[in-house]
Amino acid sequence: MAYKIGGDSKRQLRASVARTFQAPETGQLLLHPSITPLAPCYDRALCGANTLDTADSAGNPYLLPERSLGINLSYAHGLGASSEAKIEFYTRDITHKIGTELTLENVAWATVPRYVIRPANLGDATLRGINLEGRLAMRDLWKTAPNLDLQGSVGYAHSELRDLPGPDNRLEGQLPWRAKLGAGYGLTDVPVKLNLDANWLPGDWFRNNLTQRTYQSSRFTLNANANWKVNATQRLVFSIDNLLAKDSNSINEYYGANQTLRRYSNNDAYTRFSVRLEMSL
């Protein structure tokens, strides 16, 4: 639902409600195990022991569908012909959140208990957040300005898996803060537009389940591209993704019987160059 304040399309209140249903995938329901190659079985014999970080995987036939109810409220205010500011509040209430669980259990394929990771319903979860977005066209400030646009956004979110103990019992992928800044410049002599955007995500922990939590380091990416409108039906795009190519690292922390195990990983980053031709038929 959208409401134009005073009949002005540049001043709008919007509200939306969404009800979603996510059924488990077939593979998540199958009990047939997958034995980790880091703790394998030999010569058709039953397996021996494995460790927290070399768990087998199997499905869960009792996995329930995940349901959620989402509400979004936003207000957009036009600042000129091409400039705009927007504020958005959103909330999500999730039932039977699907995640994973890691347990030590007696299994048919081993002579001793082995660690097994399975899909599981982690309980109910909530997500609340706010986003601030803005777009400024320099020609809205003065007519003779360069054809330059600036865009930016900053967001705050709070999520909680209510059935898991804190701290760090937040939803995966829902970091407390995020920010984005971009710029676009259109050349006057040729039909080419240059774009630059930067994205920042802070480093933080989140809890996968009762026996595992994960840390992801901060991430900063810088991308650039040039769009050349060859004619009315063709466009050539030159892109440089991840311009600074900063590596990131992660930590997986496992809790077992009288032990805690940490596994450190380094994720290499690379700059990617691409050329793309787009054609309208």
Side-chain angles (χ1 to χ4, degrees):
M1 181 179 65
Y3 172 67
K4 298 179 182 179
I5 300 176
D8 186 356
S9 61
K10 293 183 177 297
R11 299 173 60 206
Q12 291 193 44
L13 283 170
R14 291 181 176 270
S16 63
V17 179
R19 182 70 170 168
T20 62
F21 173 90
Q22 178 183 337
E25 298 178 1
T26 302
Q28 294 178 308
L29 301 173
L30 298 179
L31 277 173
H32 185 74
S34 176
I35 309 300
T36 174
L38 299 177
C41 309
Y42 297 98
D43 298 330
R44 298 184 180 180
L46 291 176
C47 301
N50 61 354
T51 58
L52 283 164
D53 61 334
T54 60
D56 301 328
S57 60
N60 178 4
Y62 303 104
L63 194 64
L64 298 174
E66 178 182 305
R67 304 171 186 267
S68 69
L69 176 66
I71 299 175
N72 285 52
L73 298 172
S74 66
Y75 171 66
H77 188 96
L79 303 174
S82 303
S83 302
E84 182 184 66
K86 179 180 178 181
I87 182 170
E88 179 185 33
F89 300 90
Y90 59 90
T91 176
R92 303 285 186 274
D93 289 292
I94 304 172
T95 304
H96 304 313
K97 172 64 181 174
I98 294 178
T100 59
E101 65 178 359
L102 177 63
T103 59
L104 181 64
E105 56 187 73
N106 295 314
V107 293
W109 59 88
T111 57
V112 295
R114 280 176 71 95
Y115 288 101
V116 181
I117 188 167
R118 302 177 185 272
N121 295 111
L122 302 180
D124 297 341
T126 57
L127 171 64
R128 309 283 186 263
I130 180 174
N131 288 326
L132 300 174
E133 301 178 14
R135 182 173 185 268
L136 176 63
M138 301 303 294
R139 287 184 176 177
D140 286 341
L141 298 180
W142 68 90
K143 299 298 182 182
T144 58
N147 187 16
L148 176 66
D149 297 336
L150 300 176
Q151 310 95 30
S153 66
V154 60
Y156 169 78
H158 173 77
S159 63
E160 181 181 8
L161 283 160
R162 295 198 296 267
D163 294 351
L164 293 183
D168 309 319
N169 57 337
R170 62 178 56 90
L171 292 170
E172 182 179 357
Q174 295 295 334
L175 294 170
W177 293 98
R178 62 185 63 232
K180 181 177 181 178
L181 182 64
Y185 176 67
L187 301 180
T188 56
D189 298 331
V190 290
V192 174
K193 186 173 183 180
L194 307 177
N195 298 289
L196 184 72
D197 67 81
N199 297 271
W200 173 77
L201 294 173
D204 209 345
W205 289 90
F206 69 89
R207 184 169 291 279
N208 307 75
N209 46 58
L210 282 171
T211 55
Q212 182 185 1
R213 67 174 188 152
T214 299
Y215 174 80
Q216 179 64 56
S217 65
S218 61
R219 283 156 287 173
F220 178 80
T221 58
L222 184 64
N223 305 315
N225 67 68
N227 290 266
W228 176 28
K229 187 177 180 180
V230 180
N231 52 46
T233 61
Q234 295 181 343
R235 185 174 65 160
L236 196 60
V237 182
F238 302 87
S239 299
I240 306 176
D241 297 326
N242 203 9
L243 190 59
L244 301 181
K246 182 181 178 182
D247 294 348
S248 62
N249 58 76
S250 59
I251 304 172
N252 285 286
E253 192 171 83
Y254 305 89
Y255 305 96
N258 302 319
Q259 63 174 323
T260 299
L261 177 67
R262 277 191 169 191
R263 184 174 64 186
Y264 296 84
S265 302
N266 186 72
N267 305 306
D268 295 334
Y270 302 93
T271 300
R272 186 180 67 180
F273 300 85
S274 65
V275 179
R276 184 174 72 253
L277 176 63
E278 298 180 356
M279 303 175 63
S280 300
L281 303 178

